[in-house]
Amino acid sequence: MCGIAGIWGQIDQTSVKKMMDTLIHRGPDAEGMFVSPIKAGVLGHRRLSIMDPQGGNQPIYGDRKARVIVGNGEIYNFPQLLPQLAERFKFRTKSDTEAILHLYEDQGIESVEQLDGMYAFAIADGDKFFAARDPIGIKPLYYGKKDGAFIFASELKAIAYVCENVQEFPAGTFFSSETGFSTFYQVPDIQPEVDADADALIREVRETVEASVVKRLMSDVPLGCFLSGGLDSSITTAVARQHIEKLHTFSVGIEGSKDIKAARLVSQYLDTIHHEYLITPKEVQEKLPEIIYSLESFDQDLVRSAIPCYFTSRLAAEYVKVILTGEGADELFAGYTYYKGIPDNDTLHRELRRSVTSLHNINLQRVDRLTMAHSLEGRVPFLDLKMIELGQRIPAHLKLAGDPLVEKWILRKAFEDLLPSEIVWRTKEQFDEGSGTVDLLTQMLAKGMSEEEAQTYRQKHPEAPLRSAEECYYHQIFMDVFEQPESILANVARWSERPV
Protein backbone atom coordinates (compact mmCIF):
# COMPACT_ATOMS: atom_id res chain seq x y z
CA MET A 1 0.00 0.00 0.00
CA CYS A 2 1.43 3.31 -1.02
CA GLY A 3 0.87 6.76 -2.41
CA ILE A 4 1.60 7.66 -6.02
CA ALA A 5 1.80 11.00 -7.79
CA GLY A 6 3.15 12.37 -11.03
CA ILE A 7 3.03 14.77 -13.92
CA TRP A 8 3.26 13.53 -17.50
CA GLY A 9 3.90 16.02 -20.26
CA GLN A 10 6.40 18.27 -18.49
CA ILE A 11 9.24 18.09 -15.98
CA ASP A 12 8.13 19.54 -12.65
CA GLN A 13 9.97 17.76 -9.86
CA THR A 14 9.04 20.43 -7.32
CA SER A 15 5.31 19.88 -7.74
CA VAL A 16 5.63 16.09 -7.70
CA LYS A 17 7.75 16.27 -4.53
CA LYS A 18 5.10 18.48 -2.94
CA MET A 19 2.41 15.91 -3.79
CA MET A 20 4.58 13.11 -2.42
CA ASP A 21 5.14 14.98 0.84
CA THR A 22 1.37 15.39 1.23
CA LEU A 23 1.02 11.59 0.86
CA ILE A 24 3.68 10.63 3.41
CA HIS A 25 1.07 8.96 5.65
CA ARG A 26 0.35 6.50 2.81
CA GLY A 27 3.99 5.51 2.60
CA PRO A 28 6.28 6.43 5.49
CA ASP A 29 8.82 3.67 4.80
CA ALA A 30 10.50 4.98 1.64
CA GLU A 31 10.18 7.44 -1.24
CA GLY A 32 11.36 7.42 -4.83
CA MET A 33 11.11 9.50 -7.98
CA PHE A 34 11.60 8.85 -11.68
CA VAL A 35 12.52 11.77 -13.93
CA SER A 36 12.22 10.92 -17.61
CA PRO A 37 15.60 11.31 -19.36
CA ILE A 38 13.74 12.50 -22.46
CA LYS A 39 11.85 15.07 -20.36
CA ALA A 40 8.50 13.33 -20.83
CA GLY A 41 7.43 13.51 -17.19
CA VAL A 42 7.98 12.69 -13.53
CA LEU A 43 6.63 9.80 -11.40
CA GLY A 44 6.70 9.84 -7.60
CA HIS A 45 6.12 7.17 -4.96
CA ARG A 46 5.70 6.93 -1.18
CA ARG A 47 6.02 3.38 0.12
CA LEU A 48 4.32 1.38 2.85
CA SER A 49 6.30 -1.88 2.80
CA ILE A 50 4.00 -4.91 2.61
CA MET A 51 5.50 -7.29 0.04
CA ASP A 52 9.29 -7.66 -0.08
CA PRO A 53 9.88 -5.01 2.61
CA GLN A 54 13.65 -4.99 2.07
CA GLY A 55 13.86 -5.01 -1.73
CA GLY A 56 10.61 -3.66 -3.15
CA ASN A 57 11.22 0.09 -3.17
CA GLN A 58 9.77 2.00 -6.12
CA PRO A 59 9.96 3.16 -8.85
CA ILE A 60 10.64 -0.30 -10.29
CA TYR A 61 12.37 -0.56 -13.68
CA GLY A 62 11.64 -3.00 -16.47
CA ASP A 63 13.97 -4.75 -18.89
CA ARG A 64 14.46 -1.37 -20.50
CA LYS A 65 15.34 1.54 -18.21
CA ALA A 66 12.78 3.64 -20.07
CA ARG A 67 9.99 1.43 -18.64
CA VAL A 68 9.15 2.33 -15.06
CA ILE A 69 6.22 1.73 -12.69
CA VAL A 70 4.90 3.31 -9.50
CA GLY A 71 2.03 1.42 -7.92
CA ASN A 72 -0.34 1.31 -4.98
CA GLY A 73 -2.16 -1.83 -3.85
CA GLU A 74 -1.85 -5.61 -3.94
CA ILE A 75 -2.01 -8.10 -6.80
CA TYR A 76 -3.45 -11.26 -5.30
CA ASN A 77 -2.72 -13.49 -8.30
CA PHE A 78 0.96 -12.51 -8.19
CA PRO A 79 1.97 -16.10 -7.24
CA GLN A 80 0.15 -17.41 -10.31
CA LEU A 81 1.59 -14.77 -12.66
CA LEU A 82 5.17 -15.08 -11.45
CA PRO A 83 6.31 -18.44 -12.91
CA GLN A 84 5.36 -17.62 -16.50
CA LEU A 85 6.68 -14.07 -16.32
CA ALA A 86 9.94 -15.25 -14.73
CA GLU A 87 10.65 -17.33 -17.81
CA ARG A 88 10.83 -14.16 -19.92
CA PHE A 89 11.85 -11.42 -17.49
CA LYS A 90 14.43 -11.06 -14.76
CA PHE A 91 12.74 -10.07 -11.49
CA ARG A 92 14.83 -7.66 -9.44
CA THR A 93 12.42 -7.70 -6.48
CA LYS A 94 9.87 -9.99 -4.85
CA SER A 95 7.24 -7.27 -5.15
CA ASP A 96 3.90 -7.91 -6.83
CA THR A 97 4.15 -4.45 -8.42
CA GLU A 98 7.05 -5.66 -10.58
CA ALA A 99 4.76 -8.33 -12.02
CA ILE A 100 2.41 -5.58 -13.29
CA LEU A 101 5.27 -3.97 -15.19
CA HIS A 102 6.51 -7.21 -16.76
CA LEU A 103 2.97 -8.20 -17.70
CA TYR A 104 2.66 -4.83 -19.44
CA GLU A 105 6.01 -5.39 -21.17
CA ASP A 106 4.73 -8.75 -22.37
CA GLN A 107 1.18 -7.89 -23.41
CA GLY A 108 0.78 -4.11 -23.53
CA ILE A 109 -2.24 -2.23 -22.23
CA GLU A 110 -4.56 -5.26 -22.38
CA SER A 111 -2.48 -6.82 -19.60
CA VAL A 112 -4.55 -4.99 -16.98
CA GLU A 113 -7.43 -7.41 -17.54
CA GLN A 114 -5.32 -10.26 -16.10
CA LEU A 115 -4.71 -8.54 -12.78
CA ASP A 116 -6.63 -9.76 -9.74
CA GLY A 117 -6.35 -7.29 -6.92
CA MET A 118 -6.76 -3.73 -5.72
CA TYR A 119 -4.50 -1.22 -7.37
CA ALA A 120 -3.76 2.13 -8.92
CA PHE A 121 -0.55 2.40 -10.91
CA ALA A 122 1.26 4.47 -13.51
CA ILE A 123 3.81 3.26 -16.07
CA ALA A 124 6.27 5.37 -18.05
CA ASP A 125 7.31 3.73 -21.32
CA GLY A 126 9.66 6.05 -23.16
CA ASP A 127 7.47 8.92 -24.24
CA LYS A 128 4.27 6.91 -23.58
CA PHE A 129 2.25 6.89 -20.36
CA PHE A 130 -0.17 4.27 -19.02
CA ALA A 131 -2.25 4.28 -15.82
CA ALA A 132 -5.01 2.09 -14.42
CA ARG A 133 -7.34 1.70 -11.44
CA ASP A 134 -8.77 -1.56 -10.14
CA PRO A 135 -12.22 -2.81 -11.20
CA ILE A 136 -14.18 -1.65 -8.14
CA GLY A 137 -12.08 1.38 -7.22
CA ILE A 138 -10.80 0.00 -3.93
CA LYS A 139 -7.60 2.00 -4.38
CA PRO A 140 -7.99 5.72 -5.09
CA LEU A 141 -6.68 7.76 -8.00
CA TYR A 142 -7.40 11.31 -9.14
CA TYR A 143 -6.27 13.25 -12.16
CA GLY A 144 -6.32 16.65 -13.78
CA LYS A 145 -4.88 18.40 -16.80
CA LYS A 146 -2.90 21.62 -16.77
CA ASP A 147 -0.93 23.29 -19.55
CA GLY A 148 -1.18 20.12 -21.62
CA ALA A 149 0.20 17.88 -18.83
CA PHE A 150 -1.58 14.92 -17.20
CA ILE A 151 -1.38 15.19 -13.39
CA PHE A 152 -2.31 12.37 -11.01
CA ALA A 153 -2.21 11.48 -7.30
CA SER A 154 -3.65 9.02 -4.81
CA GLU A 155 -5.54 11.63 -2.81
CA LEU A 156 -7.38 14.85 -3.52
CA LYS A 157 -5.43 16.81 -0.93
CA ALA A 158 -2.22 16.12 -2.83
CA ILE A 159 -3.32 16.98 -6.34
CA ALA A 160 -5.36 20.04 -5.25
CA TYR A 161 -2.11 21.92 -4.61
CA VAL A 162 -1.07 21.52 -8.24
CA CYS A 163 -4.26 21.40 -10.30
CA GLU A 164 -7.56 23.26 -9.93
CA ASN A 165 -9.77 21.02 -12.08
CA VAL A 166 -9.56 17.56 -10.55
CA GLN A 167 -11.59 14.45 -11.37
CA GLU A 168 -11.79 10.95 -9.99
CA PHE A 169 -10.00 8.41 -12.20
CA PRO A 170 -12.87 5.99 -12.96
CA ALA A 171 -12.83 2.51 -11.44
CA GLY A 172 -12.23 -0.35 -13.85
CA THR A 173 -10.54 1.99 -16.30
CA PHE A 174 -7.11 2.52 -17.82
CA PHE A 175 -5.61 5.55 -19.49
CA SER A 176 -3.11 5.52 -22.34
CA SER A 177 -1.42 8.65 -23.62
CA GLU A 178 -2.00 7.23 -27.12
CA THR A 179 -5.66 6.17 -26.90
CA GLY A 180 -7.13 7.99 -23.88
CA PHE A 181 -9.49 6.37 -21.34
CA SER A 182 -10.88 2.84 -21.78
CA THR A 183 -13.18 0.87 -19.49
CA PHE A 184 -12.11 -2.73 -18.93
CA TYR A 185 -14.56 -3.77 -16.18
CA GLN A 186 -18.13 -3.11 -15.12
CA VAL A 187 -20.08 -4.82 -12.35
CA PRO A 188 -21.87 -7.71 -14.12
CA ASP A 189 -25.49 -7.05 -15.00
CA ILE A 190 -26.80 -10.59 -14.51
CA GLN A 191 -30.35 -11.84 -14.33
CA PRO A 192 -30.60 -13.60 -10.93
CA GLU A 193 -31.19 -17.35 -10.82
CA VAL A 194 -34.70 -17.09 -9.36
CA ASP A 195 -35.26 -20.86 -9.32
CA ALA A 196 -31.73 -21.75 -8.21
CA ASP A 197 -31.20 -24.36 -5.52
CA ALA A 198 -30.83 -22.44 -2.24
CA ASP A 199 -28.64 -25.07 -0.58
CA ALA A 200 -26.26 -25.10 -3.54
CA LEU A 201 -25.99 -21.30 -3.44
CA ILE A 202 -25.37 -21.36 0.31
CA ARG A 203 -22.45 -23.74 -0.24
CA GLU A 204 -21.13 -21.55 -3.07
CA VAL A 205 -21.30 -18.45 -0.86
CA ARG A 206 -19.34 -20.26 1.84
CA GLU A 207 -16.66 -21.47 -0.57
CA THR A 208 -16.32 -18.13 -2.35
CA VAL A 209 -16.04 -16.07 0.82
CA GLU A 210 -13.46 -18.45 2.25
CA ALA A 211 -11.37 -18.33 -0.93
CA SER A 212 -11.63 -14.52 -1.00
CA VAL A 213 -10.35 -14.20 2.58
CA VAL A 214 -7.53 -16.72 2.15
CA LYS A 215 -6.34 -14.94 -1.00
CA ARG A 216 -6.01 -11.74 1.02
CA LEU A 217 -3.82 -13.25 3.72
CA MET A 218 -0.83 -12.76 1.39
CA SER A 219 1.61 -10.54 3.30
CA ASP A 220 5.23 -10.28 4.39
CA VAL A 221 4.22 -8.22 7.45
CA PRO A 222 1.74 -8.75 10.35
CA LEU A 223 -1.97 -8.96 9.44
CA GLY A 224 -5.09 -8.62 11.57
CA CYS A 225 -8.87 -8.06 11.37
CA PHE A 226 -11.27 -5.29 12.26
CA LEU A 227 -13.87 -6.94 14.50
CA SER A 228 -17.00 -4.94 15.26
CA GLY A 229 -18.95 -8.00 16.35
CA GLY A 230 -21.28 -7.62 13.39
CA LEU A 231 -21.84 -10.42 10.90
CA ASP A 232 -19.43 -9.33 8.16
CA SER A 233 -16.33 -8.66 10.26
CA SER A 234 -17.03 -11.77 12.34
CA ILE A 235 -17.16 -13.98 9.23
CA THR A 236 -13.93 -12.48 7.89
CA THR A 237 -12.25 -13.00 11.26
CA ALA A 238 -13.53 -16.58 11.63
CA VAL A 239 -12.15 -17.59 8.23
CA ALA A 240 -8.82 -15.85 8.78
CA ARG A 241 -8.49 -17.46 12.22
CA GLN A 242 -8.53 -20.91 10.58
CA HIS A 243 -5.28 -19.98 8.82
CA ILE A 244 -3.55 -17.67 11.33
CA GLU A 245 -2.74 -19.10 14.74
CA LYS A 246 -2.16 -15.79 16.52
CA LEU A 247 -4.69 -13.47 14.92
CA HIS A 248 -5.02 -9.91 16.25
CA THR A 249 -8.49 -8.33 16.21
CA PHE A 250 -9.51 -4.74 16.90
CA SER A 251 -12.67 -3.03 18.09
CA VAL A 252 -13.69 0.44 19.29
CA GLY A 253 -16.80 1.99 20.79
CA ILE A 254 -18.11 3.89 23.73
CA GLU A 255 -18.30 2.22 27.13
CA GLY A 256 -21.12 -0.34 27.09
CA SER A 257 -21.69 -0.20 23.33
CA LYS A 258 -23.16 -3.22 21.53
CA ASP A 259 -20.13 -3.61 19.25
CA ILE A 260 -17.69 -3.79 22.14
CA LYS A 261 -19.73 -6.54 23.83
CA ALA A 262 -20.30 -8.51 20.61
CA ALA A 263 -16.65 -8.25 19.56
CA ARG A 264 -15.54 -9.61 22.93
CA LEU A 265 -17.88 -12.55 22.48
CA VAL A 266 -16.56 -13.34 18.98
CA SER A 267 -12.96 -12.93 20.06
CA GLN A 268 -13.41 -15.33 22.95
CA TYR A 269 -15.23 -17.81 20.72
CA LEU A 270 -12.50 -17.73 18.04
CA ASP A 271 -9.60 -17.29 20.49
CA THR A 272 -8.08 -14.18 18.90
CA ILE A 273 -5.67 -11.70 20.45
CA HIS A 274 -8.19 -8.94 20.95
CA HIS A 275 -7.61 -5.22 21.41
CA GLU A 276 -10.24 -2.59 22.09
CA TYR A 277 -10.34 1.14 22.62
CA LEU A 278 -13.07 3.19 24.26
CA ILE A 279 -13.70 6.57 22.68
CA THR A 280 -15.03 9.69 24.42
CA PRO A 281 -16.85 12.80 23.20
CA LYS A 282 -13.86 14.93 24.14
CA GLU A 283 -11.44 12.89 22.02
CA VAL A 284 -13.79 12.79 19.04
CA GLN A 285 -14.15 16.57 19.28
CA GLU A 286 -10.38 16.97 19.28
CA LYS A 287 -9.78 14.57 16.39
CA LEU A 288 -12.72 15.54 14.17
CA PRO A 289 -10.71 18.03 12.05
CA GLU A 290 -8.04 15.38 11.46
CA ILE A 291 -10.70 12.78 10.61
CA ILE A 292 -12.42 15.05 8.09
CA TYR A 293 -9.06 16.06 6.57
CA SER A 294 -8.14 12.39 6.16
CA LEU A 295 -11.59 11.45 4.84
CA GLU A 296 -11.82 14.29 2.28
CA SER A 297 -15.57 14.51 2.76
CA PHE A 298 -18.21 16.24 4.88
CA ASP A 299 -21.04 13.79 4.09
CA GLN A 300 -22.89 13.14 7.34
CA ASP A 301 -23.14 9.37 7.05
CA LEU A 302 -19.57 9.02 5.87
CA VAL A 303 -18.14 11.14 8.69
CA ARG A 304 -20.15 9.20 11.25
CA SER A 305 -18.70 5.89 10.08
CA ALA A 306 -15.24 7.42 9.66
CA ILE A 307 -15.00 8.24 13.37
CA PRO A 308 -14.87 4.64 14.68
CA CYS A 309 -12.82 3.66 11.60
CA TYR A 310 -10.22 6.29 12.50
CA PHE A 311 -9.80 5.04 16.06
CA THR A 312 -9.84 1.36 15.08
CA SER A 313 -7.15 2.02 12.46
CA ARG A 314 -5.03 3.93 14.96
CA LEU A 315 -5.30 1.04 17.39
CA ALA A 316 -4.54 -1.64 14.78
CA ALA A 317 -1.50 0.22 13.45
CA GLU A 318 0.22 -0.37 16.79
CA TYR A 319 0.26 -4.13 16.09
CA VAL A 320 -0.15 -4.87 12.36
CA LYS A 321 0.38 -3.32 8.93
CA VAL A 322 -2.47 -5.08 7.08
CA ILE A 323 -6.11 -5.33 8.11
CA LEU A 324 -9.13 -7.24 6.74
CA THR A 325 -12.51 -5.49 6.77
CA GLY A 326 -16.08 -6.56 6.00
CA GLU A 327 -16.85 -3.79 3.49
CA GLY A 328 -19.10 -4.74 0.57
CA ALA A 329 -21.21 -7.45 2.21
CA ASP A 330 -24.11 -5.08 2.89
CA GLU A 331 -24.24 -4.01 -0.75
CA LEU A 332 -24.00 -7.58 -2.06
CA PHE A 333 -26.45 -9.20 0.36
CA ALA A 334 -28.92 -6.40 1.23
CA GLY A 335 -27.64 -5.43 4.65
CA TYR A 336 -28.95 -1.89 5.03
CA THR A 337 -32.34 -1.12 6.55
CA TYR A 338 -33.55 0.93 3.59
CA TYR A 339 -33.38 -2.12 1.33
CA LYS A 340 -36.36 -3.55 3.24
CA GLY A 341 -38.52 -0.72 1.94
CA ILE A 342 -37.90 -1.54 -1.72
CA PRO A 343 -41.20 -2.88 -3.07
CA ASP A 344 -40.14 -5.74 -5.35
CA ASN A 345 -37.22 -8.10 -5.93
CA ASP A 346 -36.32 -6.83 -9.40
CA THR A 347 -35.96 -3.26 -8.11
CA LEU A 348 -33.98 -4.50 -5.10
CA HIS A 349 -31.62 -6.42 -7.38
CA ARG A 350 -30.98 -3.30 -9.47
CA GLU A 351 -30.41 -1.18 -6.37
CA LEU A 352 -27.91 -3.67 -4.94
CA ARG A 353 -25.94 -3.59 -8.17
CA ARG A 354 -26.00 0.20 -8.12
CA SER A 355 -24.81 0.15 -4.52
CA VAL A 356 -21.75 -1.92 -5.42
CA THR A 357 -20.88 0.37 -8.32
CA SER A 358 -21.02 3.45 -6.05
CA LEU A 359 -18.75 2.13 -3.30
CA HIS A 360 -15.55 3.55 -4.77
CA ASN A 361 -16.06 7.11 -3.59
CA ILE A 362 -18.16 6.44 -0.50
CA ASN A 363 -17.46 3.54 1.88
CA LEU A 364 -14.31 2.42 0.08
CA GLN A 365 -13.01 5.98 0.23
CA ARG A 366 -13.60 5.93 3.98
CA VAL A 367 -11.77 2.62 4.45
CA ASP A 368 -8.82 3.69 2.31
CA ARG A 369 -8.39 7.17 3.79
CA LEU A 370 -8.82 6.28 7.45
CA THR A 371 -6.60 3.19 7.35
CA MET A 372 -3.93 4.97 5.31
CA ALA A 373 -4.06 7.94 7.69
CA HIS A 374 -2.34 5.52 10.07
CA SER A 375 -0.15 3.82 7.44
CA LEU A 376 -2.33 0.70 7.52
CA GLU A 377 -3.41 -1.34 4.49
CA GLY A 378 -7.10 -2.29 4.39
CA ARG A 379 -8.27 -5.30 2.36
CA VAL A 380 -11.88 -6.11 1.47
CA PRO A 381 -12.54 -9.82 0.81
CA PHE A 382 -16.25 -9.38 0.05
CA LEU A 383 -15.35 -7.29 -3.00
CA ASP A 384 -13.43 -10.04 -4.74
CA LEU A 385 -14.60 -10.15 -8.37
CA LYS A 386 -15.83 -13.75 -8.02
CA MET A 387 -17.75 -12.69 -4.93
CA ILE A 388 -19.35 -9.80 -6.81
CA GLU A 389 -20.31 -12.02 -9.74
CA LEU A 390 -21.88 -14.54 -7.37
CA GLY A 391 -23.71 -11.76 -5.57
CA GLN A 392 -25.35 -10.68 -8.82
CA ARG A 393 -26.53 -14.25 -9.53
CA ILE A 394 -28.20 -14.76 -6.14
CA PRO A 395 -31.90 -13.79 -6.24
CA ALA A 396 -33.05 -11.01 -3.94
CA HIS A 397 -35.48 -13.27 -2.07
CA LEU A 398 -32.50 -15.21 -0.65
CA LYS A 399 -30.87 -12.01 0.57
CA LEU A 400 -33.89 -10.53 2.34
CA ALA A 401 -35.94 -13.43 3.66
CA GLY A 402 -38.32 -14.39 6.44
CA ASP A 403 -41.14 -12.66 8.28
CA PRO A 404 -40.11 -10.20 9.54
CA LEU A 405 -37.46 -9.77 6.86
CA VAL A 406 -33.92 -10.76 7.82
CA GLU A 407 -31.15 -8.99 5.92
CA LYS A 408 -28.24 -11.00 4.45
CA TRP A 409 -30.14 -14.25 5.06
CA ILE A 410 -28.09 -16.42 2.70
CA LEU A 411 -24.80 -15.12 4.11
CA ARG A 412 -25.96 -15.91 7.64
CA LYS A 413 -26.98 -19.43 6.61
CA ALA A 414 -23.62 -20.00 4.91
CA PHE A 415 -21.72 -19.37 8.16
CA GLU A 416 -24.16 -20.29 10.91
CA ASP A 417 -21.95 -23.19 12.01
CA LEU A 418 -18.81 -21.05 12.33
CA LEU A 419 -19.97 -18.40 14.81
CA PRO A 420 -22.19 -18.10 17.89
CA SER A 421 -25.88 -18.01 17.01
CA GLU A 422 -26.38 -14.61 18.66
CA ILE A 423 -23.75 -13.17 16.28
CA VAL A 424 -25.02 -14.92 13.15
CA TRP A 425 -28.55 -13.67 13.70
CA ARG A 426 -27.67 -10.33 15.30
CA THR A 427 -29.72 -7.40 13.93
CA LYS A 428 -27.81 -5.31 11.43
CA GLU A 429 -26.41 -2.03 12.76
CA GLN A 430 -24.19 0.34 10.86
CA PHE A 431 -20.67 0.79 12.21
CA ASP A 432 -21.47 4.19 13.70
CA GLU A 433 -24.61 2.84 15.40
CA GLY A 434 -23.18 -0.34 16.91
CA SER A 435 -20.05 1.41 18.15
CA GLY A 436 -22.16 4.02 19.91
CA THR A 437 -20.84 6.84 17.74
CA VAL A 438 -24.31 8.19 16.99
CA ASP A 439 -25.08 8.52 20.71
CA LEU A 440 -21.72 10.12 21.32
CA LEU A 441 -22.19 12.58 18.46
CA THR A 442 -25.59 13.62 19.82
CA GLN A 443 -23.87 14.78 23.00
CA MET A 444 -20.97 16.41 21.20
CA LEU A 445 -22.89 18.18 18.45
CA ALA A 446 -25.20 19.89 20.87
CA LYS A 447 -22.25 22.23 21.37
CA GLY A 448 -21.11 22.23 17.73
CA MET A 449 -23.81 24.13 15.83
CA SER A 450 -27.37 25.01 16.75
CA GLU A 451 -30.29 24.71 14.32
CA GLU A 452 -30.41 28.51 14.04
CA GLU A 453 -26.69 28.72 13.25
CA ALA A 454 -27.08 25.89 10.73
CA GLN A 455 -29.87 27.75 8.95
CA THR A 456 -27.62 30.77 8.51
CA TYR A 457 -24.73 28.57 7.44
CA ARG A 458 -26.86 26.87 4.74
CA GLN A 459 -27.69 30.23 3.25
CA LYS A 460 -23.96 30.98 2.91
CA HIS A 461 -23.36 27.67 1.13
CA PRO A 462 -26.28 27.01 -1.22
CA GLU A 463 -23.96 25.02 -3.52
CA ALA A 464 -23.85 22.21 -0.94
CA PRO A 465 -27.31 20.81 -0.04
CA LEU A 466 -26.56 20.37 3.65
CA ARG A 467 -29.08 18.06 5.30
CA SER A 468 -28.76 18.87 8.99
CA ALA A 469 -27.01 20.98 11.61
CA GLU A 470 -24.64 18.05 12.04
CA GLU A 471 -23.65 18.10 8.37
CA CYS A 472 -23.28 21.89 8.45
CA TYR A 473 -20.84 21.46 11.31
CA TYR A 474 -18.81 18.90 9.33
CA HIS A 475 -18.84 21.16 6.27
CA GLN A 476 -17.56 24.08 8.34
CA ILE A 477 -14.65 21.97 9.60
CA PHE A 478 -14.02 20.73 6.05
CA MET A 479 -13.72 24.29 4.76
CA ASP A 480 -11.31 25.15 7.57
CA VAL A 481 -8.90 22.22 7.19
CA PHE A 482 -8.30 22.48 3.43
CA GLU A 483 -6.31 25.33 1.93
CA GLN A 484 -7.78 24.71 -1.55
CA PRO A 485 -11.20 23.15 -0.85
CA GLU A 486 -12.83 23.83 -4.22
CA SER A 487 -11.34 20.94 -6.23
CA ILE A 488 -11.91 18.61 -3.29
CA LEU A 489 -15.51 19.76 -2.88
CA ALA A 490 -16.18 18.98 -6.54
CA ASN A 491 -15.40 15.32 -5.83
CA VAL A 492 -17.36 14.80 -2.61
CA ALA A 493 -19.88 11.99 -3.11
CA ARG A 494 -23.08 11.83 -1.06
CA TRP A 495 -23.98 8.54 0.61
CA SER A 496 -27.57 9.68 0.89
CA GLU A 497 -28.12 9.86 -2.87
CA ARG A 498 -29.73 6.47 -3.50
CA PRO A 499 -32.07 6.63 -6.49
CA VAL A 500 -34.19 3.48 -6.73
Side-chain angles (χ1 to χ4, degrees):
M1 194 62 60
C2 308
I4 63 174
I7 298 176
W8 197 256
Q10 59 182 240
I11 299 294
D12 186 350
Q13 293 172 250
T14 301
S15 293
V16 174
K17 182 64 167 65
K18 190 172 184 179
M19 289 193 284
M20 290 166 61
D21 290 345
T22 307
L23 297 172
I24 191 170
H25 54 282
R26 297 188 71 89
D29 297 333
E31 70 172 348
M33 182 182 289
F34 166 76
V35 181
S36 166
I38 59 172
K39 302 189 183 303
V42 182
L43 307 182
H45 188 264
R46 292 285 339 184
R47 187 179 186 215
L48 179 66
S49 306
I50 303 295
M51 301 300 295
D52 189 9
Q54 302 304 316
N57 287 348
Q58 299 184 36
I60 295 174
Y61 293 82
D63 273 14
R64 290 173 48 201
K65 284 293 184 181
R67 292 195 183 119
V68 185
I69 187 170
V70 291
N72 167 29
E74 301 295 339
I75 306 302
Y76 300 122
N77 63 337
F78 169 54
Q80 290 74 44
L81 294 171
L82 181 59
Q84 184 176 354
L85 289 171
E87 293 178 1
R88 296 199 54 197
F89 301 95
K90 179 181 179 181
F91 275 75
R92 296 170 177 82
T93 75
K94 297 177 183 177
S95 166
D96 53 329
T97 302
E98 185 171 358
I100 302 175
L101 180 58
H102 292 319
L103 196 63
Y104 167 83
E105 290 185 297
D106 187 41
Q107 300 180 20
I109 60 178
E110 290 80 11
S111 60
V112 70
E113 297 182 31
Q114 292 194 42
L115 299 175
D116 178 9
M118 55 178 190
Y119 54 81
F121 66 82
I123 293 175
D125 183 3
D127 63 351
K128 295 184 292 186
F129 175 80
F130 179 63
R133 188 180 182 196
D134 69 68
I136 305 300
I138 301 168
K139 290 295 97 194
L141 191 61
Y142 298 90
Y143 76 98
K145 295 179 181 179
K146 183 179 180 181
D147 300 329
F150 186 94
I151 304 167
F152 67 92
S154 294
E155 294 186 11
L156 286 160
K157 63 178 69 71
I159 195 171
Y161 290 113
V162 182
C163 186
E164 293 181 2
N165 299 312
V166 180
Q167 299 179 61
E168 184 185 14
F169 195 107
T173 298
F174 65 75
F175 172 81
S176 165
S177 57
E178 295 182 307
T179 60
F181 283 96
S182 299
T183 299
F184 66 88
Y185 177 88
Q186 291 183 315
V187 174
D189 189 0
I190 300 172
Q191 192 66 29
E193 301 170 7
V194 178
D195 298 323
D197 180 85
D199 290 335
L201 282 175
I202 289 170
R203 288 193 298 272
E204 192 172 356
V205 167
R206 174 69 170 258
E207 293 167 359
T208 307
V209 171
E210 288 180 338
S212 299
V213 172
V214 171
K215 183 192 297 185
R216 284 159 181 77
L217 300 181
M218 179 182 82
S219 177
D220 291 335
V221 294
L223 178 149
C225 292
F226 284 164
L227 179 58
S228 70
L231 179 69
D232 312 331
S233 66
S234 297
I235 287 173
T236 300
T237 301
V239 176
R241 178 64 183 85
Q242 293 177 330
H243 300 271
I244 299 177
E245 182 178 356
K246 296 182 178 180
L247 179 65
H248 290 260
T249 52
F250 307 92
S251 179
V252 300
I254 64 172
E255 182 70 60
S257 66
K258 296 176 182 177
D259 276 5
I260 288 288
K261 294 178 180 178
R264 288 173 185 169
L265 172 62
V266 176
S267 172
Q268 292 169 2
Y269 188 84
L270 298 175
D271 190 24
T272 71
I273 303 168
H274 192 56
H275 312 270
E276 61 184 40
Y277 185 81
L278 300 179
I279 53 180
T280 65
K282 182 175 183 293
E283 188 170 22
V284 171
Q285 183 85 52
E286 291 172 352
K287 293 297 183 182
L288 198 53
E290 184 179 340
I291 292 168
I292 289 174
Y293 177 76
S294 298
L295 179 64
E296 302 186 327
S297 178
F298 59 83
D299 180 84
Q300 175 177 302
D301 296 299
L302 213 54
V303 174
R304 283 182 174 185
S305 60
I307 292 169
C309 191
Y310 173 92
F311 289 104
T312 318
S313 298
R314 188 182 70 176
L315 174 64
E318 296 178 18
Y319 301 91
V320 300
K321 261 192 167 182
V322 179
I323 204 81
L324 301 185
T325 84
E327 241 62 44
D330 287 320
E331 289 76 10
L332 287 174
F333 296 103
Y336 293 123
T337 302
Y338 87 93
Y339 292 136
K340 295 181 180 180
I342 294 175
D344 62 84
N345 287 335
D346 288 342
T347 305
L348 175 58
H349 173 72
R350 290 195 300 273
E351 172 60 7
L352 290 173
R353 181 178 180 274
R354 189 206 66 82
S355 297
V356 174
T357 63
S358 68
L359 277 170
H360 57 95
N361 59 3
I362 304 177
N363 285 348
L364 287 176
Q365 177 173 322
R366 187 239 317 147
V367 171
D368 173 83
R369 299 301 197 282
L370 276 301
T371 53
M372 291 307 296
H374 299 285
S375 305
L376 184 71
E377 174 175 295
R379 298 180 180 176
V380 285
F382 282 105
L383 292 177
D384 188 274
L385 295 189
K386 290 184 178 178
M387 193 73 247
I388 291 171
E389 187 271 337
L390 174 59
Q392 305 315 298
R393 287 197 286 112
I394 297 172
H397 72 266
L398 293 179
K399 298 176 181 181
L400 277 177
D403 186 17
L405 289 172
V406 175
E407 68 279 354
K408 296 186 283 195
W409 180 86
I410 190 171
L411 185 61
R412 296 174 191 272
K413 290 296 291 183
F415 287 92
E416 63 179 343
D417 66 324
L418 204 59
L419 292 163
S421 177
E422 56 265 52
I423 297 299
V424 172
W425 299 103
R426 181 186 175 192
T427 302
K428 164 68 183 176
E429 291 179 294
Q430 291 179 208
F431 195 9
D432 53 321
E433 296 170 336
S435 64
T437 306
V438 173
D439 297 331
L440 181 149
L441 286 171
T442 301
Q443 303 172 37
M444 188 190 78
L445 292 167
K447 304 174 183 178
M449 186 177 288
S450 67
E451 286 294 340
E452 293 76 16
E453 290 170 327
Q455 194 66 29
T456 302
Y457 189 83
R458 282 192 192 94
Q459 293 172 1
K460 292 180 180 178
H461 297 278
E463 76 286 352
L466 301 169
R467 294 174 289 157
S468 64
E470 178 183 347
E471 193 163 79
C472 288
Y473 182 51
Y474 298 154
H475 187 273
Q476 183 180 61
I477 294 173
F478 179 98
M479 297 300 286
D480 288 340
V481 296
F482 289 108
E483 294 179 23
Q484 291 93 359
E486 289 75 19
S487 58
I488 299 174
L489 278 169
N491 288 278
V492 172
R494 308 307 302 276
W495 199 90
S496 61
E497 293 170 0
R498 303 188 292 255
V500 176

